[in-house]
């Protein structure tokens, strides 16, 4: 596989792309545009992640499938998506964990009284991958366009409004999100 373009290679990424497209493209086209942007960001991390980039791209495609109307259960998309991957798709554990914990999801889980469920059902994946997925999600806007992390955070606040549980959770998660973005940027510049 080395030397091959990872996005075009046969691996989890392609499989995940097809699954996410089925779940999101028609039902939630804007979410699908965002998802594709996040996957592109993931592909750009090959210099940092090497062969693990395929796993990251797959997780990027799957991170928001919990919004798909026919798999919503709790309404907390990281948990709904991860449970669907685990129980219905029988996906790789690493993908389930990455989806469950993407973009510092524990803070929103606390606000939704789902912290126990999230953390007892899904362990954390190793920090480099968790941070990489958070970086990709938090530097991609809702239409899939690359945004600076501060623009992305502002966009979430304005989309949901100041009192919304998602906005409050994002405020709590901001240090975690900024730390993830800084860590990935540092790793990228160290390899540039
Ligand atoms: Fe998400």
């Amino acid at each position: 596989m080395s030397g091959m373009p990872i996005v075009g290679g046969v691996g989890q990424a392609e499989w995940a792309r097809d699954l996410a497209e089925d779940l999101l493209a028609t039902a939630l086209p804007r979410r699908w545009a965002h998802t594709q942007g996040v996957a592109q960001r993931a592909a750009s991390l090959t210099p940092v992640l090497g062969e693990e980039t395929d796993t990251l791209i797959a997780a990027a495609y799957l991170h928001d499938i919990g919004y798909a109307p026919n798999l919503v259960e709790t309404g907390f998309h990281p948990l709904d998506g991860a449970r669907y991957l685990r129980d219905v798709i029988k996906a790789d554990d690493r993908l389930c964990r990455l989806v469950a914990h993407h973009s510092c999801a524990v803070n929103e889980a606390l606000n939704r009284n789902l912290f126990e469920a999230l953390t007892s059902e899904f362990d954390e994946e190793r920090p480099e991958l968790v941070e990489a997925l958070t970086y990709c999600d938090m530097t991609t806007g809702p239409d899939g366009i690359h945004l600076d992390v501060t623009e992305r955070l502002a966009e979430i606040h304005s989309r949901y409004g100041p009192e919304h549980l998602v906005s409050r959770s994002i405020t709590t998660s901001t240090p975690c999100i900024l730390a993830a973005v800084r860590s990935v940027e540092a790793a990228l510049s160290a390899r540039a």
Side-chain angles (χ1 to χ4, degrees), residues 63-64 66-67 74-85 96 98-102 105-106 108 112 118 122:
H63 80 287
D64 275 352
Y67 284 112
T74 67
F76 179 44
H77 76 277
L79 184 59
D80 289 347
R83 282 177 169 171
Y84 178 81
L85 288 171
C96 300
L98 285 166
V99 169
H101 288 282
H102 80 265
V106 285
E108 188 171 328
R112 291 181 182 273
L118 186 76
F122 300 98

Side-chain angles (χ1 to χ4, degrees), residues 55-113:
T55 300
L56 183 70
I57 297 169
Y61 275 123
L62 300 170
H63 80 287
D64 275 352
I65 61 167
Y67 284 112
N70 52 351
L71 63 87
V72 172
E73 276 183 15
T74 67
F76 179 44
H77 76 277
L79 184 59
D80 289 347
R83 282 177 169 171
Y84 178 81
L85 288 171
R86 179 193 64 194
D87 299 337
V88 178
I89 303 295
K90 316 285 185 205
D92 181 287
D93 278 352
R94 301 176 84 195
L95 293 177
C96 300
R97 290 181 193 147
L98 285 166
V99 169
H101 288 282
H102 80 265
S103 301
C104 312
V106 285
N107 293 310
E108 188 171 328
L110 274 168
N111 288 334
R112 291 181 182 273
N113 293 321

